[in-house]
Amino acid sequence: MTTTTLSDAAGRDPVCTLSYIHPKADSPWLTYLAQVDRVLPHLGPLARWGETLKRPKRSLIVDVPIEMDDGSVQHFEGYRVQHNLSRGPGKGGVRYHPDVTLEEVMALSAWMTIKNAAVGLPYGGAKGGIRVSPSKLSRKELERLTRRYTSEIGIIIGPQQDIPAPDVNTNSQIMAWMMDTYSMNVGATATGVVTGKPIPLGGSLGRVKATGRGVFVTGSEALRRLKLDRKGLRIAVQGFGNVGGTAAELFAQSGSLIVAVQDHTGTILNDKGMDVSALQRHVAEKGGVSGFPGAQAAPNADFWAAPCDVLIPAALEGQITAERARSTTAKLILEGANGPTLPAADDVLASRGILVVPDVICNAGGVTVSYFEWVQDFSSFFWDEDDINARLDKILGNALARVWDTADQLHVSLRTAAFVVACERVLQAREERGLYP
Ligand code: NAD
């Protein structure tokens, strides 16, 4: 049995007791376990079910062999983890990245359990991924990889079982291939098996920008409560993809200044604010922010101390370390990414009075509109974009208000409060369903 510990500021040690996982100190799974440990004291009698949260219900590892364009055969490692299904079918994205591991997918699936419950969506939590550098594959190779992966995980996904969606390096085209492959295998068109599809294949209006919009909506509400004006506000964004790019666009449109951007190609700064539309065109053409003429290039380390009022991590997990938390000048952090803040950094931010709107609320816009897409697919009745955005804003606004009230009542951070709300819902469902057999 493996026992790996990572002390948090309160001296509690999250312990991974799963024999198949050997987490490193900054592992996302240990981050998640530390977050759960902070919540258990607030759960009363439901805490007896707490171990449920520390064990994924089902983890599938698949071999994904494909024939490359040059005739060789390559094997890739794929995963689909269903962390918890107590409240409904699994829901969560699929990530293509060379650093994907089972442990990372476990953490991401667990955060989906928390997110879906915190927002009140009728889903459990799941996530998938393939260890691959998609930019090194041709389009045909990417299609073969996606189709073979879908066939391999086909034994556990389905419109009523587990519904994948896009995540890092996956998009609506990949969802279209997944939907087609699953449909061919079951012999019927099953649009509800994935969300984030192209509109003509049962996709939803508003889905592409939904996560970034959610960051903007929850961020604007947090700013209102902090009595900070969006106009002239200086924002630093890490990750300029689907989430970071959209959040930056919406904040810039409302008068904020995007003063620092970092992505996998480098860091750029401009204290007068960047032209976000021009930066989006540059990224679409060049594949990254590096070389953008409307800003100055800077070393990556400078990003974290760049003068700003708001920091939006929207790339990968584990980015805000205790050291970076000490150097940031932001007053507010909006977690567009999943799991961007390490537990030790959370403590530093709290001691410095820096507010964090946690991922499980802040970036829940994507899964909320995915839920709308799934509902529309089942009813074959599609809503207009105004309807979708209005419903999205209302659901996120209510979820944030509930979490804020809980934080005030319990004197805890918004993250712990979101976990309290979510874990109560998950464990209540667990208790009411009972253990079978
Ligand atoms: P994306 O692939 O569209 O963009 C990812 C961005 O991160 C890119 O700009 C990339 O350059 C940058 N990046 C990658 N590695 C980096 C590194 N080492 N340093 C700095 N930047 C780096 O992905 P996305 O969909 O925007 O997802 C970003 C984050 O948001 C992820 O944590 C994802 O899980 C989370 N998220 C996405 C959605 C969604 O609907 N797409 C929903 C909820 C949460």
Side-chain angles (χ1 to χ4, degrees), residues 46-47 51 57 73 88 167 170 223 239 373 420:
L46 283 175
E51 188 68 16
K57 177 181 174 62
V73 175
D167 190 70
T170 56
L223 288 168
E373 179 175 334
V420 169

mmCIF file of all heavy atoms in Angstrom, residues 46-47 51 57 73 88 167 170 223 239 373 420:
data_model
loop_
_atom_site.group_PDB
_atom_site.id
_atom_site.type_symbol
_atom_site.label_atom_id
_atom_site.label_comp_id
_atom_site.label_asym_id
_atom_site.label_seq_id
_atom_site.Cartn_x
_atom_site.Cartn_y
_atom_site.Cartn_z
ATOM 1 N N LEU A 46 -22.732 13.117 7.702
ATOM 2 C CA LEU A 46 -22.437 12.667 6.334
ATOM 3 C C LEU A 46 -20.961 12.323 6.153
ATOM 4 O O LEU A 46 -20.589 11.616 5.221
ATOM 5 C CB LEU A 46 -22.819 13.755 5.315
ATOM 6 C CG LEU A 46 -24.300 13.913 4.989
ATOM 7 C CD1 LEU A 46 -24.498 15.110 4.064
ATOM 8 C CD2 LEU A 46 -24.864 12.645 4.351
ATOM 9 N N ALA A 47 -20.115 12.832 7.073
ATOM 10 C CA ALA A 47 -18.671 12.585 6.943
ATOM 11 C C ALA A 47 -18.341 11.095 6.993
ATOM 12 O O ALA A 47 -17.290 10.677 6.524
ATOM 13 C CB ALA A 47 -17.909 13.337 8.035
ATOM 14 N N GLU A 51 -14.974 8.740 2.723
ATOM 15 C CA GLU A 51 -13.997 7.944 1.967
ATOM 16 C C GLU A 51 -14.444 7.752 0.509
ATOM 17 O O GLU A 51 -13.621 7.606 -0.397
ATOM 18 C CB GLU A 51 -13.787 6.596 2.672
ATOM 19 C CG GLU A 51 -12.676 5.725 2.122
ATOM 20 C CD GLU A 51 -11.266 6.286 2.354
ATOM 21 O OE1 GLU A 51 -11.095 7.199 3.187
ATOM 22 O OE2 GLU A 51 -10.345 5.807 1.663
ATOM 23 N N LYS A 57 -14.877 5.779 -8.513
ATOM 24 C CA LYS A 57 -15.729 4.589 -8.652
ATOM 25 C C LYS A 57 -15.156 3.623 -9.683
ATOM 26 O O LYS A 57 -15.163 2.421 -9.483
ATOM 27 C CB LYS A 57 -17.141 5.019 -9.076
ATOM 28 C CG LYS A 57 -18.090 3.855 -9.322
ATOM 29 C CD LYS A 57 -19.453 4.352 -9.755
ATOM 30 C CE LYS A 57 -20.375 3.196 -10.150
ATOM 31 N NZ LYS A 57 -20.644 2.276 -9.032
ATOM 32 N N VAL A 73 2.931 1.553 -36.821
ATOM 33 C CA VAL A 73 1.849 1.488 -35.834
ATOM 34 C C VAL A 73 2.359 2.067 -34.524
ATOM 35 O O VAL A 73 3.454 1.700 -34.069
ATOM 36 C CB VAL A 73 1.390 0.028 -35.618
ATOM 37 C CG1 VAL A 73 0.337 -0.045 -34.505
ATOM 38 C CG2 VAL A 73 0.834 -0.544 -36.909
ATOM 39 N N GLY A 88 -25.979 11.119 -10.853
ATOM 40 C CA GLY A 88 -26.370 11.058 -12.258
ATOM 41 C C GLY A 88 -25.235 10.500 -13.091
ATOM 42 O O GLY A 88 -24.198 10.096 -12.561
ATOM 43 N N ASP A 167 -11.870 19.364 -23.732
ATOM 44 C CA ASP A 167 -11.007 19.946 -22.700
ATOM 45 C C ASP A 167 -9.741 20.393 -23.442
ATOM 46 O O ASP A 167 -9.794 20.657 -24.652
ATOM 47 C CB ASP A 167 -10.724 18.922 -21.590
ATOM 48 C CG ASP A 167 -10.027 19.542 -20.376
ATOM 49 O OD1 ASP A 167 -10.677 20.320 -19.651
ATOM 50 O OD2 ASP A 167 -8.841 19.271 -20.155
ATOM 51 N N THR A 170 -8.758 19.475 -27.234
ATOM 52 C CA THR A 170 -9.840 18.789 -27.955
ATOM 53 C C THR A 170 -10.916 19.829 -28.273
ATOM 54 O O THR A 170 -11.033 20.839 -27.587
ATOM 55 C CB THR A 170 -10.451 17.623 -27.143
ATOM 56 O OG1 THR A 170 -10.897 18.121 -25.888
ATOM 57 C CG2 THR A 170 -9.447 16.509 -26.929
ATOM 58 N N LEU A 223 -16.302 40.934 -8.305
ATOM 59 C CA LEU A 223 -15.826 42.322 -8.339
ATOM 60 C C LEU A 223 -16.859 43.266 -7.734
ATOM 61 O O LEU A 223 -16.520 44.196 -6.992
ATOM 62 C CB LEU A 223 -15.527 42.742 -9.790
ATOM 63 C CG LEU A 223 -14.277 42.111 -10.412
ATOM 64 C CD1 LEU A 223 -14.253 42.362 -11.931
ATOM 65 C CD2 LEU A 223 -13.007 42.674 -9.775
ATOM 66 N N GLY A 239 -2.817 31.207 -20.212
ATOM 67 C CA GLY A 239 -3.611 30.347 -21.089
ATOM 68 C C GLY A 239 -4.499 31.237 -21.935
ATOM 69 O O GLY A 239 -5.325 31.994 -21.409
ATOM 70 N N GLU A 373 -27.041 21.448 -23.712
ATOM 71 C CA GLU A 373 -26.914 20.744 -25.007
ATOM 72 C C GLU A 373 -27.510 19.341 -24.906
ATOM 73 O O GLU A 373 -28.266 18.897 -25.784
ATOM 74 C CB GLU A 373 -25.429 20.667 -25.406
ATOM 75 C CG GLU A 373 -25.183 19.924 -26.718
ATOM 76 C CD GLU A 373 -23.713 19.981 -27.146
ATOM 77 O OE1 GLU A 373 -23.004 20.933 -26.769
ATOM 78 O OE2 GLU A 373 -23.283 19.062 -27.883
ATOM 79 N N VAL A 420 -18.144 22.170 0.486
ATOM 80 C CA VAL A 420 -19.150 21.796 1.491
ATOM 81 C C VAL A 420 -20.510 21.604 0.804
ATOM 82 O O VAL A 420 -21.177 20.575 0.958
ATOM 83 C CB VAL A 420 -19.255 22.856 2.614
ATOM 84 C CG1 VAL A 420 -20.472 22.597 3.495
ATOM 85 C CG2 VAL A 420 -17.981 22.881 3.455
#
